[in-house]
Amino acid sequence: DIQMTQSPSTLSASAGDRVTITCRASQSINEWMAWYQQKPGKAPKVLIYESSRLANGVPSRFSGSGFGTEFTLTISGLQPDDFATYYCQHYNTHFGQGTRVEIK
Amino acid sequence: DVQLVESGGGLVQPGGSLRLSCEASGFTLSDYWMSWVRQAPGKGMEWVASIKYDGSQMFYVESVKGRFTISRDNAKNSLSLQMNSLRADDTAVYYCARDHLWGQGILVTVSS
């Protein structure tokens, strides 16, 4: 059973900051990683799939990288609309614990 | 376009059963693993179950093993989740998923 460890659980940042969220798999998952954003009361929205591919309509300030066991989601130039909770997921199995990005 | 449409949710008493269905379109179902994920009120996302392309392998999160059964009918482009012995902590929005693509979700409420 492959487990996903996401960090940090909470991240305080200011608009304009560059932020990075990390997800570590307990064994290699190649590039089969997705990242989601969720705002209160809304369903999660996919941002990144296959580790680094930007989903349709997602701003280019979001990027993903990684292969195997280490993955990162980077937001370059945090916007007010980006304060939300972010989840990683290995396709068809476990999610990370989530990272809440809050205003510093 | 890929579409996943869930149905079958609702209110059920503790100990009861419910069957969720997911109608898939816009792709060949037999080419993909499929899964169910859920989110309980105020909680994080949780993967529930997955099934291999041909239905030959299924995997479940520990908390639903022995109570939930995932199945698929590739000829009918459908995925199902049979949920038995439901508990209050199964209350959640359930999503049908193909890799990173999800349906709109359906609410299951377990309450007396």
Side-chain angles (χ1 to χ4, degrees):
Chain A
D1 200 22
I2 301 174
Q3 301 295 322
M4 309 304 299
T5 303
Q6 185 176 343
S7 61
S9 55
T10 306
L11 190 160
S12 296
S14 302
D17 284 354
R18 182 174 186 267
V19 302
T20 299
I21 300 168
T22 298
C23 203
R24 179 177 292 115
S26 57
Q27 61 190 78
S28 177
I29 60 169
N30 296 326
E31 69 272 34
W32 306 121
M33 172 66 77
W35 291 93
Y36 303 88
Q37 176 195 65
Q38 187 175 35
K39 296 180 181 178
K42 302 289 187 183
K45 166 190 162 186
V46 63
L47 299 173
I48 301 287
Y49 65 100
E50 288 179 24
S51 175
S52 62
R53 297 181 182 271
L54 203 63
N56 286 345
V58 174
S60 58
R61 63 181 179 271
F62 292 92
S63 62
S65 65
F67 187 90
T69 61
E70 296 276 341
F71 299 87
T72 59
L73 172 71
T74 299
I75 311 172
S76 301
L78 201 62
Q79 297 295 306
D81 192 47
D82 301 336
F83 292 97
T85 298
Y86 295 83
Y87 296 96
C88 63
Q89 188 200 13
H90 171 216
Y91 286 7
N92 296 302
T93 184
H94 294 289
F95 289 85
Q97 298 87 340
T99 295
R100 185 165 148 252
V101 177
E102 61 180 27
I103 300 172
K104 184 186 283 185
Chain B
D1 274 13
V2 171
Q3 278 211 313
L4 299 165
V5 180
E6 302 94 342
S7 60
L11 174 64
V12 61
Q13 291 190 337
S17 297
L18 212 55
R19 186 178 182 88
L20 301 184
S21 296
C22 172
E23 185 176 334
S25 60
F27 65 101
T28 302
L29 189 65
S30 58
D31 286 346
Y32 295 89
W33 281 77
M34 295 294 294
S35 61
W36 290 94
V37 302
R38 69 183 179 182
Q39 187 171 38
K43 302 292 187 182
M45 294 303 307
E46 182 179 47
W47 163 75
V48 175
S50 296
I51 185 167
K52 198 175 178 180
Y53 322 101
D54 58 359
S56 61
Q57 283 185 285
M58 292 82 77
F59 298 93
Y60 301 92
V61 68
E62 196 63 38
S63 61
V64 309
K65 282 181 183 176
R67 301 189 300 122
F68 289 14
T69 302
I70 187 171
S71 61
R72 64 194 296 160
D73 186 335
N74 289 336
K76 294 183 178 179
N77 294 316
S78 70
L79 178 74
S80 296
L81 185 69
Q82 177 66 43
M83 303 186 293
N84 298 330
S85 303
L86 282 160
R87 311 185 305 219
D89 62 358
D90 294 316
T91 294
V93 176
Y94 285 74
Y95 298 89
C96 168
R98 189 211 91 176
D99 298 337
H100 61 282
L101 300 172
W102 299 6
Q104 82 285 356
I106 194 153
L107 179 62
V108 171
T109 303
V110 184
S111 174
S112 54

